[in-house]
């Protein structure tokens, strides 16, 4: 792994052939798509909760993406977390591998590409640090000890961001008209943190930091750095997500599309690289437990609104998600209630 990490060799080499995506998948000229104000920005600090619920619901329907501001997570904590994330990825490949090898069950890992490097047709321009978060007392012992403040800062950060996630899920359940306790029974119990690092790339038109995908989580609460790179696919077009200082980007994952019986959108997105700047981001994925059933909420299904998706255990959802590797239509067909 050590010598595979993109950050360990990218300064000395041109883009290797295995990192060049085929013309129909590579960004080409679409690296600098308009970074508009398209993705809705929701102010969580306003008093009118009905307005917040409405805005989140509409954004989740139309885009599957929104940003939140005045969310209550202190700026200082966001800065500290981003600093330790950058410091981690700046360490030597040997140190990074060592720091992530403490759990024999691999609840903490460092990897490159899509987590399945050996099977990738084209490699992603990305290194990742991934670890479980909850319950914290169980997993923190396996998190990196270097940088020295990693456990302290990330312990606080993941606790606070998890609370924010539950708050957002409550707004979403109210918007959908389902019980606020809907997400408390295993659907949101298994959060994981993925710290993405996209080193500078000599030719961003040929490569991708992440290919077009939908997240296999309920929601993701993303700490985006000041460096642009995230794009959302809407109405057959790519839209750039503008970095807003101290905002979080929230997106709906595919399991929530199923739970909402297709009302909310697990939006497709990708990450482009940058020729001058490294980009570090942190995804806080709110995930179900393996044995939790994913299915349309019962209150959203009746004779005139039949279930669009079949019910299945989250671990079986993941098997289908991985087997269809980014092919949206194949995944849609595999999960549709009409293929039962
Ligand atoms: O790094 C980003 O901007 C997006 C990350 C993402 O899509 C993911 O981790 O699934
Ligand atoms: Fe994603």
């Amino acid at each position: 792994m050590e010598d595979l990490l993109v950050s360990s060799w990218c300064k000395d080499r041109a883009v290797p052939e295995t990192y060049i995506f085929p013309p129909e998948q590579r960004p080409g000229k679409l690296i600098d798509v308009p970074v508009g104000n398209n993705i809705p920005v929701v102010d969580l600090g306003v008093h009118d909760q009905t307005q917040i619920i409405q805005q989140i619901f509409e954004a989740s329907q139309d885009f599957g993406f929104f940003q939140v501001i005045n969310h209550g997570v202190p700026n200082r904590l966001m800065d500290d977390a981003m600093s330790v994330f950058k410091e981690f990825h700046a360490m030597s490949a040997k140190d990074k591998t060592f720091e992530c090898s403490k759990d024999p069950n691999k609840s903490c890992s460092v990897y490159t590409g899509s987590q399945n490097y050996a099977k990738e047709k084209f490699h992603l321009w990305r290194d990742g640090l991934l670890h479980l978060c909850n319950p914290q007392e169980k997993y923190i012992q396996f998190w990196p000890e270097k940088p020295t403040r990693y456990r302290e800062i990330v312990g606080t950060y993941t606790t606070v961001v998890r609370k924010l996630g539950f708050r957002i899920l409550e707004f979403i359940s109210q918007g959908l008209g389902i019980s606020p306790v809907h997400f408390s029974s295993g659907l949101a119990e298994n959060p994981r943190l993925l710290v993405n690092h996209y080193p500078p790339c000599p030719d961003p038109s040929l490569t991708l930091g992440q290919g077009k995908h939908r997240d296999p989580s309920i929601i993701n609460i993303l700490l985006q750095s000041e460096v642009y790179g995230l794009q959302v696919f809407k109405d057959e077009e790519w839209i750039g997500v503008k970095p807003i200082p101290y905002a979080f980007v929230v997106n709906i994952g595919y399991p929530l599309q199923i739970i909402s019986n297709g009302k909310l959108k697990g939006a497709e997105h990708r990450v482009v690289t940058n020729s001058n700047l490294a980009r570090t981001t942190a995804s806080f994925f709110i995930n179900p437990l393996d044995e939790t059933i994913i299915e349309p909420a019962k209150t959203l299904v009746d004779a005139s609104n039949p279930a669009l998706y079949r019910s299945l255990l989250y671990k079986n959802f993941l098997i289908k998600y991985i087997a269809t590797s980014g092919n949206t239509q194949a995944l849609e067909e595999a999960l549709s209630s009409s293929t039962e």
Side-chain angles (χ1 to χ4, degrees), residues 112-179:
T112 194
S114 69
Q115 241 188 318
N116 198 355
Y117 184 89
K119 286 205 175 149
E120 284 169 5
K121 274 203 205 135
F122 311 101
H123 297 311
L124 299 174
W125 201 267
R126 180 277 292 267
D127 298 332
L129 157 66
L130 177 69
H131 61 70
L132 294 177
C133 297
N134 197 55
Q136 196 175 100
E137 38 323 334
K138 177 169 174 193
Y139 291 115
I140 197 166
Q141 59 185 313
F142 304 123
W143 295 1
E145 276 170 296
K146 263 169 78 178
T148 40
R149 293 188 66 208
Y150 188 92
R151 290 184 182 176
E152 175 199 336
I153 291 170
V154 178
T156 310
Y157 177 80
T158 51
T159 304
V160 172
V161 173
R162 182 163 171 256
K163 281 197 192 128
L164 172 64
F166 278 113
R167 207 174 141 215
I168 291 171
L169 284 178
E170 204 169 308
F171 289 135
I172 289 176
S173 56
Q174 285 175 331
L176 278 171
I178 62 179
S179 160

Side-chain angles (χ1 to χ4, degrees), residues 41-59 171 174:
V41 178
V42 182
D43 185 346
L44 298 185
V46 299
H47 283 294
D48 185 356
Q49 298 242 332
T50 322
Q51 182 189 326
I52 298 175
I53 293 166
Q54 180 76 12
Q55 286 179 347
I56 289 184
F57 185 68
E58 282 172 12
F171 289 135
Q174 285 175 331

Side-chain angles (χ1 to χ4, degrees), residues 2-225:
E2 285 170 34
D3 51 348
L4 291 179
L5 293 178
V6 182
S7 47
S8 63
W9 52 260
C10 64
K11 287 196 192 74
D12 317 317
R13 280 206 234 161
V15 178
E17 211 152 293
T18 47
Y19 284 76
I20 300 179
F21 275 75
E24 66 283 4
Q25 285 180 42
R26 65 174 76 145
K29 293 198 191 84
L30 297 179
I31 309 160
D32 295 318
V33 292
V35 182
N37 297 320
N38 295 327
I39 303 295
V41 178
V42 182
D43 185 346
L44 298 185
V46 299
H47 283 294
D48 185 356
Q49 298 242 332
T50 322
Q51 182 189 326
I52 298 175
I53 293 166
Q54 180 76 12
Q55 286 179 347
I56 289 184
F57 185 68
E58 282 172 12
S60 305
Q61 264 186 323
D62 298 343
F63 292 85
F65 261 86
F66 52 94
Q67 305 211 42
V68 290
I69 54 170
N70 293 322
H71 40 64
V73 181
N75 291 357
R76 171 79 193 274
L77 181 59
M78 295 172 83
D79 284 339
D80 285 351
M82 186 47 83
S83 298
V84 287
F85 296 150
K86 286 181 179 168
E87 279 169 44
F88 175 85
H89 279 291
M91 296 190 316
S92 72
K94 193 166 165 236
D95 282 355
K96 281 183 268 200
T97 309
F98 177 75
E99 290 303 321
C100 296
S101 59
K102 293 168 187 157
D103 184 3
N105 291 323
K106 299 199 171 20
S107 65
C108 178
S109 60
V110 64
Y111 63 90
T112 194
S114 69
Q115 241 188 318
N116 198 355
Y117 184 89
K119 286 205 175 149
E120 284 169 5
K121 274 203 205 135
F122 311 101
H123 297 311
L124 299 174
W125 201 267
R126 180 277 292 267
D127 298 332
L129 157 66
L130 177 69
H131 61 70
L132 294 177
C133 297
N134 197 55
Q136 196 175 100
E137 38 323 334
K138 177 169 174 193
Y139 291 115
I140 197 166
Q141 59 185 313
F142 304 123
W143 295 1
E145 276 170 296
K146 263 169 78 178
T148 40
R149 293 188 66 208
Y150 188 92
R151 290 184 182 176
E152 175 199 336
I153 291 170
V154 178
T156 310
Y157 177 80
T158 51
T159 304
V160 172
V161 173
R162 182 163 171 256
K163 281 197 192 128
L164 172 64
F166 278 113
R167 207 174 141 215
I168 291 171
L169 284 178
E170 204 169 308
F171 289 135
I172 289 176
S173 56
Q174 285 175 331
L176 278 171
I178 62 179
S179 160
V181 297
H182 194 90
F183 294 105
S184 61
S185 55
L187 281 174
E189 283 310 301
N190 198 18
R192 55 190 72 202
L193 182 75
L194 168 60
V195 183
N196 295 297
H197 180 66
Y198 314 96
C201 173
D203 191 345
S205 73
L206 303 175
T207 58
L208 283 168
Q210 289 207 36
K212 189 180 183 189
H213 71 284
R214 297 192 224 184
D215 291 345
S217 55
I218 300 283
I219 54 172
N220 179 19
I221 311 218
L222 176 78
L223 176 60
Q224 185 177 214
S225 61

